[in-house]
Amino acid sequence: MQIRYFHTEGFRLSAIYALVFALSVAAIGAIVLIINRQALLDQVLISARTDVTAMQRGYAADGIAEVLEILNQLKGRPGDAELFLLQKDGRRIAGNLSPMPVRVGTVQFSQGDRHPVLGVGAELAPGLYAFAGSGLGRVHAVQERLLHILLWVFLGAFILAAIGGILVSRSFLSRTDAMATACRAIMDGDLKARLPVRGSHDELDRLATAVNEMLDRIAVLMENLGQVTNDIAHDLRTPVTHLRQRLENGRADSTDPKSEAAFDAAIQKTDEILAMFAALLRIVQIEGGSRRAAFARLTLAGVLEQLRDIFVPVAEAAGHTLSLEADDAGEVNGDRALLLQLFSNLIENAIIHTPPGTHIFLRLTRTAPEKVAVTVADDGPGVPAEERPRLFRRLYRREASRTTPGYGLGLSLVAAIADLHGAKVEMESAAKGLAVRVTFDAAGS
């Protein structure tokens, strides 16, 4: 769950804002460092100019003796970075600096491994040179301390931004999870479920409101469709059933063999119409998801064993053989009656659409720790690869002549039941024959 936070749009936006904020803090910090350094250097120069001016005025008033007195007073000031020099003809008279070349104005130089020195030099008289300045150690110390403060501010801001991103992601993820849960409930057949709306009127609330309005509209359409379906069931199945009864009565009253044969053919076609209509209604009912409420934990091995016992005699009567291989019990959550219908349709298709002598086999395997698969395969003539996707379309028949029994809804019903169970139906390639594989999520996974 924690890792999911880092893959949400909220966290991505927070990360972008944090990066922009970090770059802004870094830029502001660099500007502050530059301004602070320049201010400190200006302060050093102002102090040095003041000292040099004092020495110039002292020399003008009372000569070197006054300058020496001023230097003694300056050396008594607090701070070990104050540096002074009074030299004549290249020899130091007073101060704590070694003799240096005569340079007037702003002067910066280094002394061995000490910090650079910044100050102001001036000639008090021909051959008499004075310098006042300061080591830049204090400036560097202030700069380093300020840099450490800015780094801590940057780190704190980044941590707060990350925490904010996680909190935003958590809120965003909880809302999207609630929406996903509602969507899954709707797909499971609870058409009254709706996406939660928090009332904050943000983009997610607007999206949820729009989706809920769409679901309300779909619910109304589904209700109308259900009513139409019921009307069709009542208006068509009842007359067709009455027609069949009349055909049976007519056959019972007939004494002509040809008429009896005609009545039998008409009754058979009527039964096909009723069966097709019942299958269509069953597909609609299954796709509506209402049967999910009857799901229970069951073993696929038990379902397949029951089908084997039922269809072995049927297969032998058609000249086929049927066998079962179960490598695993294959526990799933599902509707037993619907799963019996699913595999019955696949087995019946294999029996009807393959020539005598075909071997049909059922195989139950565990393809992964959380997946189980049932394969219904045969070694008959098979189906061309380009035609396989069309087999699951409703009312699709491979034979244009329709000579083979059926009405093209068997595999459509298989697909509907598999989708209801969250299973995946695949037609596997085989060197000979056809294999239909249905993969389920194992119970508890």
Side-chain angles (χ1 to χ4, degrees), residues 378-426:
D378 62 71
D379 56 2
V383 176
E386 65 276 6
E387 196 171 351
R388 293 173 188 170
R390 297 195 292 268
L391 294 180
F392 292 97
R393 285 163 38 186
R394 295 180 190 178
L395 305 177
Y396 177 76
R397 302 280 300 279
R398 288 193 65 207
E399 297 175 290
S401 62
R402 300 295 200 265
T403 57
T404 304
Y407 31 84
L409 292 173
L411 290 180
S412 298
L413 189 57
V414 167
I417 296 173
D419 185 65
L420 182 72
H421 287 78
K424 183 179 181 181
V425 182
E426 300 171 287

mmCIF file of all heavy atoms in Angstrom, residues 378-426:
data_model
loop_
_atom_site.group_PDB
_atom_site.id
_atom_site.type_symbol
_atom_site.label_atom_id
_atom_site.label_comp_id
_atom_site.label_asym_id
_atom_site.label_seq_id
_atom_site.Cartn_x
_atom_site.Cartn_y
_atom_site.Cartn_z
ATOM 1 N N ASP A 378 -9.989 -31.699 -28.070
ATOM 2 C CA ASP A 378 -10.292 -32.874 -28.881
ATOM 3 C C ASP A 378 -9.226 -33.001 -29.957
ATOM 4 O O ASP A 378 -8.456 -32.057 -30.200
ATOM 5 C CB ASP A 378 -11.686 -32.757 -29.517
ATOM 6 C CG ASP A 378 -11.801 -31.564 -30.462
ATOM 7 O OD1 ASP A 378 -11.194 -31.600 -31.545
ATOM 8 O OD2 ASP A 378 -12.501 -30.580 -30.107
ATOM 9 N N ASP A 379 -9.154 -34.167 -30.568
ATOM 10 C CA ASP A 379 -8.192 -34.376 -31.652
ATOM 11 C C ASP A 379 -8.897 -34.461 -32.992
ATOM 12 O O ASP A 379 -8.490 -35.212 -33.888
ATOM 13 C CB ASP A 379 -7.356 -35.632 -31.395
ATOM 14 C CG ASP A 379 -8.223 -36.878 -31.208
ATOM 15 O OD1 ASP A 379 -9.461 -36.765 -31.318
ATOM 16 O OD2 ASP A 379 -7.660 -37.963 -30.956
ATOM 17 N N GLY A 380 -9.997 -33.670 -33.119
ATOM 18 C CA GLY A 380 -10.753 -33.637 -34.358
ATOM 19 C C GLY A 380 -10.121 -32.737 -35.398
ATOM 20 O O GLY A 380 -8.935 -32.397 -35.320
ATOM 21 N N PRO A 381 -10.904 -32.288 -36.374
ATOM 22 C CA PRO A 381 -10.353 -31.481 -37.474
ATOM 23 C C PRO A 381 -9.950 -30.072 -37.057
ATOM 24 O O PRO A 381 -9.190 -29.412 -37.762
ATOM 25 C CB PRO A 381 -11.498 -31.441 -38.486
ATOM 26 C CG PRO A 381 -12.739 -31.680 -37.686
ATOM 27 C CD PRO A 381 -12.328 -32.617 -36.582
ATOM 28 N N GLY A 382 -10.467 -29.574 -35.936
ATOM 29 C CA GLY A 382 -10.084 -28.246 -35.462
ATOM 30 C C GLY A 382 -10.824 -27.125 -36.177
ATOM 31 O O GLY A 382 -11.720 -27.354 -36.994
ATOM 32 N N VAL A 383 -10.414 -25.896 -35.864
ATOM 33 C CA VAL A 383 -11.031 -24.682 -36.417
ATOM 34 C C VAL A 383 -9.913 -23.771 -36.906
ATOM 35 O O VAL A 383 -8.922 -23.578 -36.205
ATOM 36 C CB VAL A 383 -11.879 -23.948 -35.344
ATOM 37 C CG1 VAL A 383 -12.443 -22.648 -35.899
ATOM 38 C CG2 VAL A 383 -13.003 -24.839 -34.847
ATOM 39 N N PRO A 384 -10.046 -23.195 -38.112
ATOM 40 C CA PRO A 384 -9.004 -22.275 -38.588
ATOM 41 C C PRO A 384 -8.787 -21.120 -37.616
ATOM 42 O O PRO A 384 -9.724 -20.623 -37.000
ATOM 43 C CB PRO A 384 -9.567 -21.769 -39.923
ATOM 44 C CG PRO A 384 -10.525 -22.830 -40.365
ATOM 45 C CD PRO A 384 -11.110 -23.402 -39.106
ATOM 46 N N ALA A 385 -7.541 -20.689 -37.482
ATOM 47 C CA ALA A 385 -7.194 -19.653 -36.503
ATOM 48 C C ALA A 385 -7.948 -18.361 -36.751
ATOM 49 O O ALA A 385 -8.368 -17.684 -35.804
ATOM 50 C CB ALA A 385 -5.682 -19.396 -36.526
ATOM 51 N N GLU A 386 -8.141 -17.989 -38.027
ATOM 52 C CA GLU A 386 -8.799 -16.717 -38.309
ATOM 53 C C GLU A 386 -10.293 -16.735 -37.974
ATOM 54 O O GLU A 386 -10.927 -15.688 -37.851
ATOM 55 C CB GLU A 386 -8.613 -16.339 -39.789
ATOM 56 C CG GLU A 386 -9.272 -17.277 -40.793
ATOM 57 C CD GLU A 386 -8.422 -18.500 -41.122
ATOM 58 O OE1 GLU A 386 -7.357 -18.669 -40.466
ATOM 59 O OE2 GLU A 386 -8.810 -19.253 -42.023
ATOM 60 N N GLU A 387 -10.850 -17.950 -37.804
ATOM 61 C CA GLU A 387 -12.282 -18.058 -37.526
ATOM 62 C C GLU A 387 -12.583 -18.176 -36.030
ATOM 63 O O GLU A 387 -13.719 -17.973 -35.607
ATOM 64 C CB GLU A 387 -12.852 -19.278 -38.258
ATOM 65 C CG GLU A 387 -14.369 -19.276 -38.354
ATOM 66 C CD GLU A 387 -14.885 -20.378 -39.256
ATOM 67 O OE1 GLU A 387 -14.064 -21.030 -39.930
ATOM 68 O OE2 GLU A 387 -16.108 -20.571 -39.282
ATOM 69 N N ARG A 388 -11.585 -18.454 -35.222
ATOM 70 C CA ARG A 388 -11.822 -18.708 -33.798
ATOM 71 C C ARG A 388 -12.436 -17.531 -33.047
ATOM 72 O O ARG A 388 -13.345 -17.733 -32.245
ATOM 73 C CB ARG A 388 -10.508 -19.130 -33.124
ATOM 74 C CG ARG A 388 -10.006 -20.478 -33.602
ATOM 75 C CD ARG A 388 -8.635 -20.785 -33.049
ATOM 76 N NE ARG A 388 -8.076 -22.001 -33.659
ATOM 77 C CZ ARG A 388 -6.841 -22.403 -33.505
ATOM 78 N NH1 ARG A 388 -6.008 -21.697 -32.746
ATOM 79 N NH2 ARG A 388 -6.405 -23.493 -34.090
ATOM 80 N N PRO A 389 -11.979 -16.276 -33.271
ATOM 81 C CA PRO A 389 -12.593 -15.171 -32.512
ATOM 82 C C PRO A 389 -14.084 -15.011 -32.768
ATOM 83 O O PRO A 389 -14.823 -14.526 -31.904
ATOM 84 C CB PRO A 389 -11.808 -13.937 -32.995
ATOM 85 C CG PRO A 389 -10.520 -14.474 -33.509
ATOM 86 C CD PRO A 389 -10.852 -15.813 -34.097
ATOM 87 N N ARG A 390 -14.561 -15.428 -33.964
ATOM 88 C CA ARG A 390 -15.980 -15.246 -34.296
ATOM 89 C C ARG A 390 -16.868 -16.295 -33.641
ATOM 90 O O ARG A 390 -18.090 -16.144 -33.625
ATOM 91 C CB ARG A 390 -16.163 -15.291 -35.812
ATOM 92 C CG ARG A 390 -15.448 -14.171 -36.551
ATOM 93 C CD ARG A 390 -15.951 -14.046 -37.967
ATOM 94 N NE ARG A 390 -15.593 -15.189 -38.791
ATOM 95 C CZ ARG A 390 -14.491 -15.263 -39.528
ATOM 96 N NH1 ARG A 390 -13.624 -14.248 -39.524
ATOM 97 N NH2 ARG A 390 -14.222 -16.326 -40.259
ATOM 98 N N LEU A 391 -16.278 -17.360 -33.106
ATOM 99 C CA LEU A 391 -17.089 -18.434 -32.546
ATOM 100 C C LEU A 391 -17.877 -17.998 -31.314
ATOM 101 O O LEU A 391 -18.892 -18.615 -30.986
ATOM 102 C CB LEU A 391 -16.194 -19.626 -32.180
ATOM 103 C CG LEU A 391 -15.507 -20.341 -33.347
ATOM 104 C CD1 LEU A 391 -14.653 -21.484 -32.831
ATOM 105 C CD2 LEU A 391 -16.535 -20.865 -34.350
ATOM 106 N N PHE A 392 -17.427 -16.936 -30.633
ATOM 107 C CA PHE A 392 -18.099 -16.499 -29.417
ATOM 108 C C PHE A 392 -19.180 -15.456 -29.695
ATOM 109 O O PHE A 392 -19.819 -14.982 -28.768
ATOM 110 C CB PHE A 392 -17.080 -15.935 -28.425
ATOM 111 C CG PHE A 392 -16.156 -16.985 -27.875
ATOM 112 C CD1 PHE A 392 -14.900 -17.181 -28.436
ATOM 113 C CD2 PHE A 392 -16.533 -17.786 -26.812
ATOM 114 C CE1 PHE A 392 -14.036 -18.148 -27.941
ATOM 115 C CE2 PHE A 392 -15.677 -18.753 -26.310
ATOM 116 C CZ PHE A 392 -14.428 -18.941 -26.881
ATOM 117 N N ARG A 393 -19.369 -15.119 -30.985
ATOM 118 C CA ARG A 393 -20.449 -14.188 -31.317
ATOM 119 C C ARG A 393 -21.782 -14.890 -31.267
ATOM 120 O O ARG A 393 -21.902 -16.073 -31.623
ATOM 121 C CB ARG A 393 -20.218 -13.608 -32.714
ATOM 122 C CG ARG A 393 -19.119 -12.569 -32.755
ATOM 123 C CD ARG A 393 -18.607 -12.280 -34.145
ATOM 124 N NE ARG A 393 -19.649 -12.288 -35.153
ATOM 125 C CZ ARG A 393 -19.419 -12.182 -36.452
ATOM 126 N NH1 ARG A 393 -18.182 -12.092 -36.888
ATOM 127 N NH2 ARG A 393 -20.411 -12.189 -37.303
ATOM 128 N N ARG A 394 -22.806 -14.171 -30.842
ATOM 129 C CA ARG A 394 -24.127 -14.762 -30.733
ATOM 130 C C ARG A 394 -24.684 -15.100 -32.114
ATOM 131 O O ARG A 394 -24.558 -14.318 -33.067
ATOM 132 C CB ARG A 394 -25.095 -13.797 -30.021
ATOM 133 C CG ARG A 394 -24.710 -13.538 -28.582
ATOM 134 C CD ARG A 394 -25.673 -12.590 -27.918
ATOM 135 N NE ARG A 394 -25.137 -12.176 -26.619
ATOM 136 C CZ ARG A 394 -25.725 -11.317 -25.814
ATOM 137 N NH1 ARG A 394 -26.873 -10.765 -26.157
ATOM 138 N NH2 ARG A 394 -25.181 -11.007 -24.659
ATOM 139 N N LEU A 395 -25.304 -16.275 -32.173
ATOM 140 C CA LEU A 395 -25.970 -16.775 -33.382
ATOM 141 C C LEU A 395 -25.002 -17.041 -34.518
ATOM 142 O O LEU A 395 -25.418 -17.213 -35.668
ATOM 143 C CB LEU A 395 -27.063 -15.797 -33.855
ATOM 144 C CG LEU A 395 -28.129 -15.442 -32.803
ATOM 145 C CD1 LEU A 395 -29.100 -14.412 -33.366
ATOM 146 C CD2 LEU A 395 -28.866 -16.676 -32.335
ATOM 147 N N TYR A 396 -23.687 -17.101 -34.217
ATOM 148 C CA TYR A 396 -22.722 -17.401 -35.275
ATOM 149 C C TYR A 396 -22.652 -18.904 -35.481
ATOM 150 O O TYR A 396 -22.528 -19.676 -34.535
ATOM 151 C CB TYR A 396 -21.333 -16.868 -34.916
ATOM 152 C CG TYR A 396 -20.285 -17.215 -35.946
ATOM 153 C CD1 TYR A 396 -20.222 -16.535 -37.151
ATOM 154 C CD2 TYR A 396 -19.376 -18.252 -35.716
ATOM 155 C CE1 TYR A 396 -19.272 -16.857 -38.104
ATOM 156 C CE2 TYR A 396 -18.418 -18.576 -36.661
ATOM 157 C CZ TYR A 396 -18.373 -17.879 -37.854
ATOM 158 O OH TYR A 396 -17.443 -18.207 -38.796
ATOM 159 N N ARG A 397 -22.737 -19.322 -36.737
ATOM 160 C CA ARG A 397 -22.620 -20.744 -37.098
ATOM 161 C C ARG A 397 -21.563 -20.878 -38.174
ATOM 162 O O ARG A 397 -21.542 -20.105 -39.146
ATOM 163 C CB ARG A 397 -23.961 -21.276 -37.643
ATOM 164 C CG ARG A 397 -25.132 -21.138 -36.696
ATOM 165 C CD ARG A 397 -25.129 -22.228 -35.647
ATOM 166 N NE ARG A 397 -25.210 -23.553 -36.211
ATOM 167 C CZ ARG A 397 -26.359 -24.115 -36.619
ATOM 168 N NH1 ARG A 397 -27.510 -23.456 -36.493
ATOM 169 N NH2 ARG A 397 -26.371 -25.335 -37.123
ATOM 170 N N ARG A 398 -20.680 -21.866 -38.011
ATOM 171 C CA ARG A 398 -19.641 -22.083 -39.022
ATOM 172 C C ARG A 398 -20.237 -22.574 -40.322
ATOM 173 O O ARG A 398 -19.764 -22.253 -41.399
ATOM 174 C CB ARG A 398 -18.619 -23.116 -38.526
ATOM 175 C CG ARG A 398 -17.700 -22.596 -37.427
ATOM 176 C CD ARG A 398 -16.551 -23.551 -37.252
ATOM 177 N NE ARG A 398 -15.719 -23.596 -38.455
ATOM 178 C CZ ARG A 398 -14.986 -24.635 -38.816
ATOM 179 N NH1 ARG A 398 -15.006 -25.739 -38.087
ATOM 180 N NH2 ARG A 398 -14.263 -24.592 -39.908
ATOM 181 N N GLU A 399 -21.318 -23.325 -40.238
ATOM 182 C CA GLU A 399 -21.905 -23.917 -41.432
ATOM 183 C C GLU A 399 -23.020 -23.017 -41.948
ATOM 184 O O GLU A 399 -23.990 -22.731 -41.251
ATOM 185 C CB GLU A 399 -22.495 -25.299 -41.127
ATOM 186 C CG GLU A 399 -21.460 -26.322 -40.685
ATOM 187 C CD GLU A 399 -22.122 -27.611 -40.279
ATOM 188 O OE1 GLU A 399 -22.791 -27.644 -39.248
ATOM 189 O OE2 GLU A 399 -21.959 -28.583 -41.026
ATOM 190 N N ALA A 400 -22.867 -22.553 -43.170
ATOM 191 C CA ALA A 400 -23.913 -21.712 -43.750
ATOM 192 C C ALA A 400 -25.193 -22.502 -43.981
ATOM 193 O O ALA A 400 -26.305 -21.961 -43.963
ATOM 194 C CB ALA A 400 -23.429 -21.125 -45.085
ATOM 195 N N SER A 401 -25.070 -23.814 -44.156
ATOM 196 C CA SER A 401 -26.252 -24.638 -44.441
ATOM 197 C C SER A 401 -27.057 -24.932 -43.193
ATOM 198 O O SER A 401 -28.203 -25.336 -43.265
ATOM 199 C CB SER A 401 -25.819 -25.960 -45.089
ATOM 200 O OG SER A 401 -24.996 -26.688 -44.197
ATOM 201 N N ARG A 402 -26.459 -24.745 -41.983
ATOM 202 C CA ARG A 402 -27.128 -25.006 -40.713
ATOM 203 C C ARG A 402 -27.590 -26.464 -40.603
ATOM 204 O O ARG A 402 -28.619 -26.761 -40.029
ATOM 205 C CB ARG A 402 -28.354 -24.088 -40.536
ATOM 206 C CG ARG A 402 -28.056 -22.593 -40.545
ATOM 207 C CD ARG A 402 -27.189 -22.242 -39.335
ATOM 208 N NE ARG A 402 -27.254 -20.827 -39.029
ATOM 209 C CZ ARG A 402 -26.390 -19.918 -39.444
ATOM 210 N NH1 ARG A 402 -25.401 -20.295 -40.233
ATOM 211 N NH2 ARG A 402 -26.488 -18.663 -39.073
ATOM 212 N N THR A 403 -26.803 -27.402 -41.139
ATOM 213 C CA THR A 403 -27.208 -28.797 -41.057
ATOM 214 C C THR A 403 -26.897 -29.418 -39.708
ATOM 215 O O THR A 403 -27.537 -30.381 -39.299
ATOM 216 C CB THR A 403 -26.488 -29.612 -42.155
ATOM 217 O OG1 THR A 403 -25.075 -29.446 -42.009
ATOM 218 C CG2 THR A 403 -26.898 -29.118 -43.542
ATOM 219 N N THR A 404 -25.907 -28.827 -38.995
ATOM 220 C CA THR A 404 -25.556 -29.347 -37.685
ATOM 221 C C THR A 404 -26.514 -28.785 -36.644
ATOM 222 O O THR A 404 -26.843 -27.595 -36.683
ATOM 223 C CB THR A 404 -24.111 -28.946 -37.326
ATOM 224 O OG1 THR A 404 -23.244 -29.417 -38.355
ATOM 225 C CG2 THR A 404 -23.699 -29.545 -35.997
ATOM 226 N N PRO A 405 -26.984 -29.610 -35.695
ATOM 227 C CA PRO A 405 -27.897 -29.100 -34.676
ATOM 228 C C PRO A 405 -27.275 -27.963 -33.886
ATOM 229 O O PRO A 405 -26.072 -27.917 -33.656
ATOM 230 C CB PRO A 405 -28.147 -30.323 -33.780
ATOM 231 C CG PRO A 405 -27.819 -31.495 -34.634
ATOM 232 C CD PRO A 405 -26.745 -31.058 -35.560
ATOM 233 N N GLY A 406 -28.120 -27.041 -33.446
ATOM 234 C CA GLY A 406 -27.669 -25.912 -32.643
ATOM 235 C C GLY A 406 -28.155 -24.599 -33.207
ATOM 236 O O GLY A 406 -28.713 -24.537 -34.296
ATOM 237 N N TYR A 407 -27.935 -23.527 -32.421
ATOM 238 C CA TYR A 407 -28.403 -22.216 -32.859
ATOM 239 C C TYR A 407 -27.368 -21.123 -32.595
ATOM 240 O O TYR A 407 -27.690 -19.939 -32.518
ATOM 241 C CB TYR A 407 -29.735 -21.854 -32.167
ATOM 242 C CG TYR A 407 -29.890 -22.422 -30.788
ATOM 243 C CD1 TYR A 407 -29.368 -21.784 -29.672
ATOM 244 C CD2 TYR A 407 -30.549 -23.645 -30.618
ATOM 245 C CE1 TYR A 407 -29.505 -22.340 -28.421
ATOM 246 C CE2 TYR A 407 -30.678 -24.196 -29.359
ATOM 247 C CZ TYR A 407 -30.163 -23.543 -28.260
ATOM 248 O OH TYR A 407 -30.301 -24.091 -27.017
ATOM 249 N N GLY A 408 -26.111 -21.494 -32.407
ATOM 250 C CA GLY A 408 -25.028 -20.516 -32.346
ATOM 251 C C GLY A 408 -24.955 -19.708 -31.070
ATOM 252 O O GLY A 408 -24.446 -18.583 -31.086
ATOM 253 N N LEU A 409 -25.464 -20.267 -29.960
ATOM 254 C CA LEU A 409 -25.424 -19.530 -28.698
ATOM 255 C C LEU A 409 -24.621 -20.242 -27.617
ATOM 256 O O LEU A 409 -24.456 -19.700 -26.526
ATOM 257 C CB LEU A 409 -26.855 -19.283 -28.182
ATOM 258 C CG LEU A 409 -27.695 -18.314 -29.007
ATOM 259 C CD1 LEU A 409 -29.119 -18.285 -28.490
ATOM 260 C CD2 LEU A 409 -27.094 -16.919 -28.972
ATOM 261 N N GLY A 410 -24.149 -21.455 -27.914
ATOM 262 C CA GLY A 410 -23.441 -22.233 -26.902
ATOM 263 C C GLY A 410 -22.192 -21.539 -26.395
ATOM 264 O O GLY A 410 -21.991 -21.382 -25.188
ATOM 265 N N LEU A 411 -21.341 -21.088 -27.327
ATOM 266 C CA LEU A 411 -20.098 -20.435 -26.909
ATOM 267 C C LEU A 411 -20.349 -19.024 -26.397
ATOM 268 O O LEU A 411 -19.568 -18.518 -25.576
ATOM 269 C CB LEU A 411 -19.104 -20.417 -28.074
ATOM 270 C CG LEU A 411 -18.523 -21.782 -28.458
ATOM 271 C CD1 LEU A 411 -17.549 -21.650 -29.606
ATOM 272 C CD2 LEU A 411 -17.841 -22.430 -27.257
ATOM 273 N N SER A 412 -21.409 -18.367 -26.856
ATOM 274 C CA SER A 412 -21.766 -17.067 -26.288
ATOM 275 C C SER A 412 -22.132 -17.215 -24.820
ATOM 276 O O SER A 412 -21.767 -16.391 -23.978
ATOM 277 C CB SER A 412 -22.943 -16.453 -27.050
ATOM 278 O OG SER A 412 -22.618 -16.221 -28.395
ATOM 279 N N LEU A 413 -22.850 -18.299 -24.501
ATOM 280 C CA LEU A 413 -23.202 -18.573 -23.112
ATOM 281 C C LEU A 413 -21.943 -18.904 -22.301
ATOM 282 O O LEU A 413 -21.805 -18.494 -21.149
ATOM 283 C CB LEU A 413 -24.205 -19.724 -23.051
ATOM 284 C CG LEU A 413 -24.843 -20.016 -21.697
ATOM 285 C CD1 LEU A 413 -25.554 -18.784 -21.165
ATOM 286 C CD2 LEU A 413 -25.815 -21.185 -21.805
ATOM 287 N N VAL A 414 -21.013 -19.642 -22.911
ATOM 288 C CA VAL A 414 -19.737 -19.946 -22.256
ATOM 289 C C VAL A 414 -18.995 -18.647 -21.905
ATOM 290 O O VAL A 414 -18.506 -18.470 -20.782
ATOM 291 C CB VAL A 414 -18.862 -20.831 -23.164
ATOM 292 C CG1 VAL A 414 -17.418 -20.879 -22.651
ATOM 293 C CG2 VAL A 414 -19.437 -22.234 -23.240
ATOM 294 N N ALA A 415 -18.923 -17.725 -22.874
ATOM 295 C CA ALA A 415 -18.218 -16.462 -22.637
ATOM 296 C C ALA A 415 -18.896 -15.649 -21.538
ATOM 297 O O ALA A 415 -18.224 -15.043 -20.693
ATOM 298 C CB ALA A 415 -18.158 -15.654 -23.938
ATOM 299 N N ALA A 416 -20.244 -15.630 -21.539
ATOM 300 C CA ALA A 416 -20.971 -14.865 -20.523
ATOM 301 C C ALA A 416 -20.735 -15.437 -19.126
ATOM 302 O O ALA A 416 -20.509 -14.692 -18.161
ATOM 303 C CB ALA A 416 -22.457 -14.839 -20.848
ATOM 304 N N ILE A 417 -20.780 -16.768 -18.992
ATOM 305 C CA ILE A 417 -20.571 -17.392 -17.679
ATOM 306 C C ILE A 417 -19.124 -17.180 -17.221
ATOM 307 O O ILE A 417 -18.862 -16.896 -16.044
ATOM 308 C CB ILE A 417 -20.906 -18.896 -17.742
ATOM 309 C CG1 ILE A 417 -22.399 -19.088 -18.050
ATOM 310 C CG2 ILE A 417 -20.554 -19.588 -16.436
ATOM 311 C CD1 ILE A 417 -22.795 -20.528 -18.291
ATOM 312 N N ALA A 418 -18.169 -17.317 -18.143
ATOM 313 C CA ALA A 418 -16.765 -17.101 -17.784
ATOM 314 C C ALA A 418 -16.539 -15.663 -17.319
ATOM 315 O O ALA A 418 -15.848 -15.425 -16.328
ATOM 316 C CB ALA A 418 -15.865 -17.431 -18.971
ATOM 317 N N ASP A 419 -17.123 -14.714 -18.037
ATOM 318 C CA ASP A 419 -16.968 -13.313 -17.655
ATOM 319 C C ASP A 419 -17.585 -13.053 -16.286
ATOM 320 O O ASP A 419 -17.041 -12.291 -15.483
ATOM 321 C CB ASP A 419 -17.614 -12.424 -18.710
ATOM 322 C CG ASP A 419 -17.386 -10.952 -18.443
ATOM 323 O OD1 ASP A 419 -16.229 -10.521 -18.498
ATOM 324 O OD2 ASP A 419 -18.374 -10.240 -18.162
ATOM 325 N N LEU A 420 -18.721 -13.683 -15.995
ATOM 326 C CA LEU A 420 -19.354 -13.539 -14.688
ATOM 327 C C LEU A 420 -18.427 -14.028 -13.578
ATOM 328 O O LEU A 420 -18.395 -13.461 -12.482
ATOM 329 C CB LEU A 420 -20.667 -14.313 -14.658
ATOM 330 C CG LEU A 420 -21.476 -14.234 -13.364
ATOM 331 C CD1 LEU A 420 -22.099 -12.854 -13.210
ATOM 332 C CD2 LEU A 420 -22.555 -15.310 -13.321
ATOM 333 N N HIS A 421 -17.649 -15.072 -13.859
ATOM 334 C CA HIS A 421 -16.730 -15.643 -12.862
ATOM 335 C C HIS A 421 -15.343 -15.005 -12.917
ATOM 336 O O HIS A 421 -14.433 -15.451 -12.197
ATOM 337 C CB HIS A 421 -16.597 -17.156 -13.072
ATOM 338 C CG HIS A 421 -17.809 -17.928 -12.650
ATOM 339 N ND1 HIS A 421 -18.946 -18.009 -13.420
ATOM 340 C CD2 HIS A 421 -18.076 -18.645 -11.523
ATOM 341 C CE1 HIS A 421 -19.850 -18.759 -12.807
ATOM 342 N NE2 HIS A 421 -19.352 -19.142 -11.648
ATOM 343 N N GLY A 422 -15.170 -13.984 -13.756
ATOM 344 C CA GLY A 422 -13.855 -13.358 -13.870
ATOM 345 C C GLY A 422 -12.820 -14.271 -14.502
ATOM 346 O O GLY A 422 -11.622 -14.112 -14.264
ATOM 347 N N ALA A 423 -13.283 -15.233 -15.291
ATOM 348 C CA ALA A 423 -12.373 -16.202 -15.923
ATOM 349 C C ALA A 423 -12.027 -15.747 -17.344
ATOM 350 O O ALA A 423 -12.736 -14.942 -17.951
ATOM 351 C CB ALA A 423 -13.014 -17.584 -15.949
ATOM 352 N N LYS A 424 -10.948 -16.296 -17.850
ATOM 353 C CA LYS A 424 -10.478 -15.967 -19.201
ATOM 354 C C LYS A 424 -10.610 -17.189 -20.095
ATOM 355 O O LYS A 424 -10.136 -18.273 -19.749
ATOM 356 C CB LYS A 424 -9.020 -15.509 -19.146
ATOM 357 C CG LYS A 424 -8.457 -15.078 -20.490
ATOM 358 C CD LYS A 424 -7.007 -14.621 -20.347
ATOM 359 C CE LYS A 424 -6.433 -14.170 -21.682
ATOM 360 N NZ LYS A 424 -5.018 -13.754 -21.553
ATOM 361 N N VAL A 425 -11.287 -17.004 -21.239
ATOM 362 C CA VAL A 425 -11.494 -18.102 -22.185
ATOM 363 C C VAL A 425 -10.543 -17.911 -23.364
ATOM 364 O O VAL A 425 -10.497 -16.841 -23.967
ATOM 365 C CB VAL A 425 -12.951 -18.147 -22.684
ATOM 366 C CG1 VAL A 425 -13.155 -19.325 -23.623
ATOM 367 C CG2 VAL A 425 -13.916 -18.227 -21.515
ATOM 368 N N GLU A 426 -9.791 -18.979 -23.674
ATOM 369 C CA GLU A 426 -8.844 -18.922 -24.785
ATOM 370 C C GLU A 426 -8.970 -20.191 -25.616
ATOM 371 O O GLU A 426 -9.188 -21.280 -25.069
ATOM 372 C CB GLU A 426 -7.407 -18.814 -24.281
ATOM 373 C CG GLU A 426 -7.130 -17.586 -23.441
ATOM 374 C CD GLU A 426 -5.754 -17.649 -22.805
ATOM 375 O OE1 GLU A 426 -5.589 -18.447 -21.862
ATOM 376 O OE2 GLU A 426 -4.856 -16.919 -23.258
#
